[in-house]
Amino acid sequence: MATIKDVAERAGVAPSTVSYVLSGSRRISEDTAKAVRAAIAELGYHPRASARTLRSARSEVLVLAVPRESGKYRAMDGRFAIEISDAARGHGYDLLMMTEPDGVDGLLRIARSGLADAAVLMAVAQADPRVAALHELGFPTALLGHGDGREESGVSWVDLDWAAAVALAVHETAAAGHRRMVFWASADHEIEARRGYALHGLAGARTAAAETGADVRVQPSAADPALLRGRLRAALMAAPAPTALIVQHLIPLPLLLAEVAALGLRVPQDLEIVLVGSLPDEPGGPALPRIDLPVGQMSAAVAGLAVEAIGGAAPRHELIAPRMAESQGVRPPGGPADRPAPVPRMETQNRCD
Amino acid sequence: MATIKDVAERAGVAPSTVSYVLSGSRRISEDTAKAVRAAIAELGYHPRASARTLRSARSEVLVLAVPRESGKYRAMDGRFAIEISDAARGHGYDLLMMTEPDGVDGLLRIARSGLADAAVLMAVAQADPRVAALHELGFPTALLGHGDGREESGVSWVDLDWAAAVALAVHETAAAGHRRMVFWASADHEIEARRGYALHGLAGARTAAAETGADVRVQPSAADPALLRGRLRAALMAAPAPTALIVQHLIPLPLLLAEVAALGLRVPQDLEIVLVGSLPDEPGGPALPRIDLPVGQMSAAVAGLAVEAIGGAAPRHELIAPRMAESQGVRPPGGPADRPAPVPRMETQNRCD
DNA sequence: TCGATTCGACGAACCGATTCGACGAAGCGC
DNA sequence: GCGCTTCGTCGAATCGGTTCGTCGAATCGA
């Protein structure tokens, strides 16, 4: 493996000159620069990251804390990881994955070893111990999600406004004429873990219920399919029957849809279903009214905030306003007057693999 | 930030002694070791990764090349990334994500900078340029997937035996009494990119067709939903009508199922559906006969092979034999005699969130 | 023509660990 | 009591870059 010394020798210059040609931090004559570049190309030279990092105290790496709860996997997490990696590269940073179950130890290890310059935390919870630990270390951090906004005032974050998103869904549903609806919230374990999106979603449902005067029954989801099925059945069969189901916990959506079908309920005539926080380009999902999770926007933002934090910028907070996807609005109780729809149609997507 | 020198000073020893206490590569008296450990704890010392790497030429990092085709996103990629990260940590390695669209440049940059000690490549294709480039560099590499097995003889890989998997599906389907079936292969662009799984799946279908004498029509899938729908409709409506559909391209599965329903076909009486491979998190997917993709096993294996390769071990190849999932066998044409099943039941999963 | 300024390149210190050779003290046999 | 080995520790070289101070040569104005 060629070193900067080899390049310098071949080009007939000092190692420092090679370094200056590469970094551009001092003027070097065009002739010399050309010779150096030729030597670099001939030797296939690439600077050793460790040497550069050792001297400059910059690794050009971000570490991403991926949530990992006992074997559970959320499709969103992988998607975010990939998009954040793309965004980080756009800033000249590589992305290291940190998937240790309890992220605190792993993050401290990475932070104190200097392997990364900043951390990006996913699935932030209220009073998240990772935030406190990194803050104590003075380690640049950006959060994907937020808790109650107080303990994170010293740290940058970006989040979909989940409270507003659920509230928007309730308002739109009420505006379409629905008076009784079920809000299918995050799962028990997410609420217990005090994940920001779970708590904010619940708060948004309560606020919007009060504002619209609609009858909104809040029902947490469950990880266990049997339990989930039982709760859903109870919620939908209650009298008077709800005419709309607003779903934040999307992972078991196929199961929800199947159960709705098994109960003999037609969508949307007997029951309208509104999704909150769906991935924007899932091929072949049913064409339901929904509020998309802006994965690309959030990923780009959080990577940018992490890079800013490395530069010592003051913390910033981005709360993204929810928007209804344009493809499909909430349909009134009894379904649209113009066409029967016994089977939900599948929509087209340009991003399906 | 404390350095090894600070620790040495506080403990009243030489820096080298601290290093030996940490690495254990020389005997140090228990008294001295205790003093050093105390100093480390008091100062919150952690060795700088860059200094260690510079000296030892080992970064303890693997780089994972995640396939990235022009904005397309495959749900399984994130799942594999997370599981491989877990497996790598089990060997003491961290995982760096490489998501640049054309992986070759990015991989070479990481490899030559010494940021990682080995590479793991996903979605390997026949004559994959990444394999050749890394091999030329002498960079330790392990592949998830394989091409035709010739050009990769110098590199370790692990793969599900896709040919055997599809063949098994055809055999089981034929054994259940089906004589006419459609094999729904990988999408056009995957076949054009000569991805190993796509080509091997096609080969397995042809072999098994000859072996069983069944009428197996091979139909590649498509990324475009309209195109896909048209092909599916043509394949299912052809005379004589097929009684089974074997699906390798699972990503648009909801769309496939909806189209089958829209054609008025009942599963399994009119059309049995057999799945080859898995989706990342499908709690509540329909209980169809399937051959699972062993994600955990493959991830652990590929991480292990990469670590082995760093140690200079000879390349090894693991071809995993396919197994039918136990939950549900292939049902005969006309459906099971004992019970009608107008709506496919949803199955339970222990891995659902 | 001479002193002041600018330009381009060099040399050496430095970042923080690892690791090898060396060395003093203690333990051993005779 | 003397030489030899063993044990525990130290000091210094080393990995490969970056960066600051310096210095000779060229350029400039008076």
Side-chain angles (χ1 to χ4, degrees):
Chain A
M1 272 287 182
T3 73
I4 199 171
K5 228 173 181 173
D6 301 326
V7 174
E9 231 162 84
R10 184 165 190 118
V13 299
S16 52
T17 302
V18 177
S19 178
Y20 288 129
V21 169
L22 249 28
S23 71
S25 61
R26 275 198 190 178
R27 278 206 59 77
I28 296 291
S29 73
E30 189 48 39
D31 285 356
T32 307
K34 207 167 283 180
V36 167
R37 279 191 287 265
I40 288 175
E42 286 162 25
L43 296 175
Y45 167 76
H46 195 97
R48 219 70 87 247
S50 54
R52 177 172 276 183
T53 299
L54 176 59
R55 175 64 220 220
S56 64
R58 290 289 193 83
S59 66
E60 316 274 87
V61 169
L62 305 183
V63 57
L64 176 71
V66 180
R68 208 82 182 86
E69 299 173 26
S70 59
K72 283 170 188 153
Y73 173 76
R74 309 186 310 162
M76 262 178 31
D77 294 339
R79 174 73 183 278
F80 268 113
I82 289 174
E83 298 236 7
I84 293 171
S85 169
D86 280 353
R89 275 310 303 152
H91 293 278
Y93 285 79
D94 285 301
L95 191 71
L96 196 74
M97 291 189 76
M98 170 76 253
T99 54
E100 285 175 27
D102 177 14
V104 178
D105 287 348
L107 280 171
L108 287 179
R109 177 175 63 80
I110 303 287
R112 301 199 297 186
S113 73
L115 233 186
D117 294 333
V120 172
L121 269 45
M122 294 178 63
V124 173
Q126 270 192 14
D128 199 307
R130 302 172 300 175
V131 177
L134 291 174
H135 189 256
E136 193 189 355
L137 218 64
F139 196 72
T141 305
L143 313 181
L144 199 61
H146 73 296
D148 64 7
R150 263 171 305 182
E151 71 255 37
E152 296 125 353
S153 57
V155 185
S156 291
W157 52 257
V158 60
D159 204 356
L160 173 63
D161 191 340
W162 285 99
V166 173
L168 175 59
V170 170
H171 277 283
E172 292 278 327
T173 305
H178 296 271
R179 304 307 302 156
R180 295 177 304 283
M181 49 190 97
V182 170
F183 171 53
W184 195 257
S186 303
D188 295 327
H189 66 90
E190 295 173 296
I191 296 169
E192 278 160 27
R194 306 193 67 73
R195 303 280 174 216
Y197 56 87
L199 302 185
H200 295 134
L202 289 171
R206 289 199 203 93
T207 308
E211 287 167 357
T212 59
D215 171 13
V216 179
R217 263 165 288 172
V218 173
Q219 177 57 62
S221 184
D224 174 56
L227 184 56
L228 185 151
R229 209 178 279 135
R231 286 185 187 172
L232 183 65
R233 202 169 276 255
L236 296 183
M237 302 304 269
T243 61
L245 178 65
I246 297 172
V247 181
Q248 185 181 0
H249 192 233
L250 296 174
I251 291 180
L253 182 62
L255 196 146
L256 288 175
L257 293 176
E259 199 60 25
V260 166
L263 290 171
L265 299 173
R266 294 162 307 167
V267 178
Q269 297 100 310
D270 303 322
L271 185 75
E272 172 65 307
I273 298 181
V274 182
L275 311 182
V276 181
S278 56
L279 286 178
D281 54 1
E282 283 174 296
L288 297 170
R290 60 175 208 266
I291 295 165
D292 276 333
L293 184 63
V295 179
Q297 184 183 357
M298 292 172 74
S299 301
V302 80
L305 290 173
V307 172
E308 274 184 21
I310 295 170
R316 292 197 299 125
H317 305 151
E318 283 185 36
L319 202 52
I320 299 175
R323 289 195 324 120
M324 288 287 296
E326 282 167 17
S327 51
Q328 173 72 64
V330 180
R331 292 153 294 192
D338 47 340
R339 62 166 178 117
V343 174
R345 287 296 304 164
M346 296 290 145
E347 66 184 333
T348 62
Q349 302 263 350
N350 49 11
R351 271 203 151 203
C352 64
D353 184 5
Chain B
M1 272 288 183
T3 72
I4 200 171
K5 225 173 182 174
D6 301 326
V7 174
E9 231 163 82
R10 183 164 192 120
V13 300
S16 51
T17 302
V18 176
S19 178
Y20 288 129
V21 169
L22 250 27
S23 70
S25 61
R26 274 199 191 180
R27 278 205 59 77
I28 296 292
S29 73
E30 187 50 37
D31 286 357
T32 306
K34 208 166 280 179
V36 167
R37 279 192 288 264
I40 288 176
E42 287 162 25
L43 295 174
Y45 167 77
H46 195 97
R48 216 69 86 250
S50 54
R52 177 171 276 187
T53 299
L54 175 58
R55 175 63 220 220
S56 66
R58 287 289 191 86
S59 66
E60 315 275 89
V61 169
L62 304 182
V63 57
L64 176 71
V66 181
R68 209 82 181 85
E69 297 173 26
S70 60
K72 280 174 192 150
Y73 174 75
R74 306 187 314 160
M76 285 312 280
D77 293 341
R79 170 78 184 278
F80 269 111
I82 289 175
E83 298 235 7
I84 292 170
S85 168
D86 281 354
R89 276 310 301 152
H91 292 278
Y93 285 78
D94 285 300
L95 190 73
L96 195 74
M97 291 188 77
M98 172 75 253
T99 54
E100 284 175 25
D102 178 13
V104 179
D105 288 348
L107 279 171
L108 287 179
R109 177 175 61 80
I110 302 287
R112 300 200 298 188
S113 73
L115 233 186
D117 295 331
V120 172
L121 269 45
M122 294 177 62
V124 173
Q126 271 193 14
D128 200 308
R130 303 172 298 173
V131 176
L134 291 173
H135 189 255
E136 194 188 355
L137 219 62
F139 196 72
T141 305
L143 313 180
L144 197 61
H146 72 295
D148 64 6
R150 261 170 308 180
E151 72 255 36
E152 297 124 354
S153 56
V155 185
S156 290
W157 52 257
V158 59
D159 203 356
L160 172 63
D161 190 340
W162 286 98
V166 173
L168 174 59
V170 170
H171 276 283
E172 292 279 327
T173 305
H178 296 270
R179 303 305 304 156
R180 294 177 304 283
M181 50 191 96
V182 170
F183 172 53
W184 195 256
S186 302
D188 295 327
H189 66 89
E190 295 174 295
I191 295 169
E192 278 160 27
R194 309 192 66 72
R195 303 281 176 213
Y197 57 87
L199 302 186
H200 295 134
L202 289 171
R206 289 199 203 93
T207 308
E211 287 167 355
T212 60
D215 171 14
V216 179
R217 262 164 290 171
V218 173
Q219 176 59 62
S221 183
D224 174 56
L227 185 55
L228 185 152
R229 208 178 280 135
R231 287 186 187 172
L232 184 63
R233 204 169 277 254
L236 297 183
M237 303 304 269
T243 60
L245 178 65
I246 297 172
V247 182
Q248 184 181 1
H249 192 233
L250 295 178
I251 291 180
L253 181 62
L255 198 145
L256 288 175
L257 293 177
E259 199 60 24
V260 166
L263 290 172
L265 299 173
R266 296 162 306 165
V267 177
Q269 297 100 311
D270 303 324
L271 185 75
E272 172 65 305
I273 299 182
V274 181
L275 309 182
V276 182
S278 298
L279 285 169
D281 58 351
E282 38 186 342
L288 297 169
R290 69 194 309 152
I291 294 163
D292 277 326
L293 183 63
V295 179
Q297 182 184 359
M298 291 172 74
S299 300
V302 81
L305 289 174
V307 172
E308 273 183 23
I310 295 170
R316 290 197 300 126
H317 305 148
E318 283 185 36
L319 203 51
I320 298 175
R323 289 196 322 122
M324 289 286 295
E326 282 166 18
S327 53
Q328 174 72 66
V330 179
R331 292 153 295 192
D338 48 341
R339 63 168 178 118
V343 174
R345 288 296 307 167
M346 295 294 145
E347 68 182 334
T348 62
Q349 302 262 348
N350 51 8
R351 276 211 145 196
C352 65
D353 187 4

